[in-house]
Amino acid sequence: MTEQVRVRFAPSPTGHLHIGNARTAIMNWIFARHSNGVFVLRVEDTDMERSSEVSEKSILQDLRWLGLDWDEGPEVGGEYGPYRQSERLDLYKKYTEQLLKSGHAYHCYCTPEELEAEKKQALAAGAPVMYSGRCRTLTQEQKQRFEAEGRKPVVRMKYPEQPLSFTDLVKGELSFPPESNGDFVIVRADGVPTYNFAVVIDDGLMRISHVVRGNDHVSNTPRQLAVYHALGWNLPAFAHIPMILGPDRTRLSKRHGATSVDMYAQQGYLPEALINFLSLLGWSSESGDEILSVQRLIEEFDFSRVSKSPAIFDVEKLNWMNGVYIRETDPARLAELCLPYLKKAGYKLPEQPVLEKIVAAVAKSMERLEDVIARAELFFTDDIQPENEEAARFLNKETTQKVFWSFLRQLDRIEVLNADTFRKIMKTVGQETGVIGKDLWMPVRIALTGQAHGPELPAVVEIFGKQRCYRLIKSRIIE
């Protein structure tokens, strides 16, 4: 193991960045920054049919949106490149030949039909389904005969005949008996390496010290250990973090809602909120705090705080957390973040200072940035109507007309209407009419916003200005 902490995140560019993979990337990045280590980004693109440059760019963009940076990898370079598996095929070939020469691997000429027959036979006998190893001892003559038939061999790794063990930083001591795996394919017939082989070559050559990944990779680990041992390489430390499950305790999927980082970004989640939320899926702060800045996450990270149990993706908790971050965001930045949603809604946007006031006024009731469309609508429409019958009843109370007439008289006496002058006006109206409490404030709120609840009324009034407030109140006066 190297002295310096070196971790990696190795996505396959076959689609958008899945939220579960994003959690893995975040854990690796936080651990690297906590340890003053190196965060390596490696693209596992040996699935030629499904991998695409578009997907790679999308994943890199999503990582940057989250605020993650990499010390080595695509677009950055580094000492142990190249950082795309498709550009490392010669390296895999070199180590395949080494394993063949040392006798740890061999060519297998079995056809899919023969393998399927083996599988059915094992199932019928109630035996473990694994390759029998019948090509282990082929003679040169048998190999030539198979090749003459047009068979293209795969390369299989000889699975060790002794238990394979390792100490996981999360799960503790794990051991796998010889009968848990058969000889497995490390290079396909087309010459492309399989995941369990390529990942070991990459991790070994890139001096990865810690492999931090999802719990679903535990079953891959013994095969990878077999390759490490055959090559005589030191093992990295492994840390398998808990799986993310939906509320129904099944693996997180589209039926539970958005599954990609891109979808959460579009809906208006803030990257710092998403990092905070995903970090707490399987890890917790010793303080018990749930709102944790990126800096605190880095400072407090410790594998001893990682849970062994699956983590439940609670979207309501994410919404709450995102709302906290929205309310703590600088008004200028929040207005900028909300701008695309307001433009999409077709609203005629005011000058920046006014826009900042509007966004600040509605931020308290927002959980996602896209909420600004509905919350801010009252600032962009002249058609203010009571939201329901209960709200409308406030406009029909006996005292309401007195309040409205008094309000208009007070408006006539001022030049500029702002939050402070509005409060003074309402105090005067209350004294003049003798109306207090809800009967005083609610009719004015309904007339101006149509809503019984919403942004603070003084802030709304200041944004509306004197003329608009006068017009809206006047429209509710019964002549």
Side-chain angles (χ1 to χ4, degrees):
M1 189 184 298
T2 59
E3 290 184 4
Q4 183 184 38
V5 167
R6 290 177 58 84
V7 296
R8 49 73 168 174
F9 175 59
S12 297
T14 56
H16 291 291
L17 180 62
H18 187 276
I19 203 72
N21 291 334
R23 193 272 303 261
T24 300
I26 290 166
M27 283 268 198
N28 276 279
W29 182 81
I30 287 175
F31 177 51
R33 297 297 172 252
H34 171 83
S35 310
N36 293 316
V38 175
F39 179 62
V40 178
L41 179 64
R42 185 174 72 228
V43 179
E44 298 189 342
D45 59 349
T46 52
D47 187 341
M48 307 298 184
E49 291 184 4
R50 297 175 61 216
S51 296
S52 73
E53 187 177 344
V54 172
S55 289
E56 180 183 318
K57 287 182 177 179
S58 170
I59 289 171
L60 267 56
Q61 181 178 323
D62 288 341
L63 290 171
R64 288 197 180 94
W65 177 80
L66 283 168
L68 307 190
D69 57 343
W70 44 99
D71 306 299
E72 298 176 21
E75 302 178 359
V76 177
E79 184 179 352
Y80 301 102
Y83 293 92
R84 294 182 182 88
Q85 286 189 335
S86 59
E87 298 171 3
R88 299 173 62 83
L89 296 179
D90 287 344
L91 290 169
Y92 307 135
K93 185 177 180 181
K94 172 186 173 182
Y95 288 99
T96 301
E97 291 171 353
Q98 179 177 321
L99 291 171
L100 286 167
K101 187 176 180 180
S102 66
H104 288 96
Y106 61 92
H107 287 107
C108 172
Y109 293 85
C110 293
T111 65
E113 292 77 17
E114 290 169 340
L115 294 173
E116 182 62 26
E118 262 196 18
K119 178 181 177 181
K120 288 180 178 178
Q121 187 176 358
L123 289 171
V129 177
M130 62 179 67
Y131 180 61
S132 64
R134 62 182 179 179
C135 283
R136 269 194 180 200
T137 57
L138 290 179
T139 65
Q140 193 61 33
E141 181 181 352
Q142 288 173 312
K143 292 178 183 178
Q144 289 174 350
R145 187 169 68 249
F146 283 141
E147 288 172 4
E149 293 176 8
R151 297 194 187 194
K152 291 185 177 180
V154 300
V155 178
R156 285 187 184 272
M157 187 81 192
K158 290 181 180 178
Y159 194 76
E161 296 178 359
Q162 65 275 358
L164 292 175
S165 304
F166 71 99
T167 302
D168 191 277
L169 294 176
V170 175
K171 302 176 74 66
E173 185 72 21
L174 295 176
S175 184
F176 302 85
E179 63 271 16
S180 63
N181 280 276
D183 296 350
F184 56 97
V185 176
I186 60 172
V187 181
R188 301 182 185 92
D190 60 3
V192 177
T194 60
Y195 166 77
N196 282 314
F197 178 56
V199 73
V200 172
I201 303 304
D202 291 339
D203 286 346
L205 295 181
M206 291 181 182
R207 304 290 189 267
I208 299 302
S209 66
H210 294 72
V211 174
V212 183
R213 58 190 180 186
N215 193 53
D216 53 329
H217 282 285
V218 169
S219 60
N220 287 321
T221 309
R223 296 184 176 193
Q224 293 166 18
L225 295 182
V227 179
Y228 274 108
H229 292 320
L231 292 171
W233 290 355
N234 292 330
L235 298 179
F238 290 95
H240 290 91
I241 55 182
M243 295 297 293
I244 301 177
L245 304 180
D248 58 357
R249 303 194 71 80
T250 61
R251 190 164 181 169
L252 194 67
S253 65
K254 289 182 179 178
R255 70 176 178 276
H256 298 117
T259 56
S260 70
V261 169
D262 176 65
M263 293 171 73
Y264 284 94
Q266 289 181 34
Q267 290 177 16
Y269 291 91
L270 301 186
E272 52 267 44
L274 205 54
I275 284 182
N276 189 162
F277 176 75
L278 292 175
S279 296
L280 296 181
L281 290 181
W283 179 85
S284 61
S285 167
E286 193 171 4
S287 68
D289 294 343
E290 293 193 302
I291 301 299
L292 297 164
S293 67
V294 171
Q295 189 56 41
R296 276 194 65 186
L297 290 168
I298 291 171
E299 290 172 358
E300 297 183 23
F301 184 80
D302 187 334
F303 280 113
S304 68
R305 302 289 304 173
V306 177
S307 171
K308 296 180 177 65
S309 304
I312 305 299
F313 194 100
D314 183 351
V315 72
E316 290 185 8
K317 183 174 180 179
L318 171 58
N319 289 341
W320 164 78
M321 187 173 287
N322 199 58
V324 172
Y325 275 91
I326 284 176
R327 291 186 286 279
E328 292 180 351
T329 299
D330 174 75
R333 179 185 175 225
L334 187 58
E336 184 180 345
L337 292 171
C338 288
L339 201 56
Y341 300 94
L342 296 171
K343 285 182 176 178
K344 184 179 179 181
Y347 295 148
K348 185 178 179 181
L349 301 179
E351 296 296 321
Q352 183 69 18
V354 178
L355 182 61
E356 288 181 21
K357 288 182 179 181
I358 291 173
V359 172
V362 301
K364 288 184 179 180
S365 62
M366 288 170 55
E367 291 187 329
R368 300 178 296 182
L369 294 177
E370 67 177 8
D371 293 343
V372 75
I373 296 174
R375 303 292 188 273
E377 184 181 10
L378 68 94
F379 296 100
F380 300 100
T381 179
D382 288 326
D383 185 22
I384 301 294
Q385 299 296 331
E387 60 184 350
N388 51 41
E389 290 184 10
E390 184 180 351
R393 279 198 291 271
F394 275 102
L395 299 180
N396 299 322
K397 286 202 167 194
E398 282 185 28
T399 55
T400 296
Q401 292 298 304
K402 289 196 300 183
V403 169
F404 285 167
W405 278 115
S406 178
F407 187 85
L408 293 181
R409 285 194 296 272
Q410 303 311 316
L411 274 183
D412 282 332
R413 295 171 183 171
I414 63 169
E415 293 295 326
V416 178
L417 180 63
N418 55 37
D420 288 336
T421 54
F422 171 70
R423 292 188 185 95
K424 291 175 182 176
I425 285 175
M426 292 302 291
K427 183 177 181 180
T428 303
V429 170
Q431 292 170 345
E432 186 177 282
T433 62
V435 180
I436 60 173
K438 273 192 174 184
D439 288 341
L440 171 65
W441 287 86
M442 197 59 74
V444 176
R445 170 176 280 282
I446 300 299
L448 294 178
T449 71
Q451 304 168 2
H453 305 281
E456 292 183 3
L457 199 52
V460 173
V461 167
E462 183 167 312
I463 295 166
F464 278 4
K466 178 180 175 179
Q467 290 184 347
R468 186 177 185 189
C469 287
Y470 193 99
R471 186 177 70 253
L472 288 170
I473 295 293
K474 184 75 164 60
S475 70
R476 295 298 175 182
I477 294 240
I478 301 173
E479 299 288 353

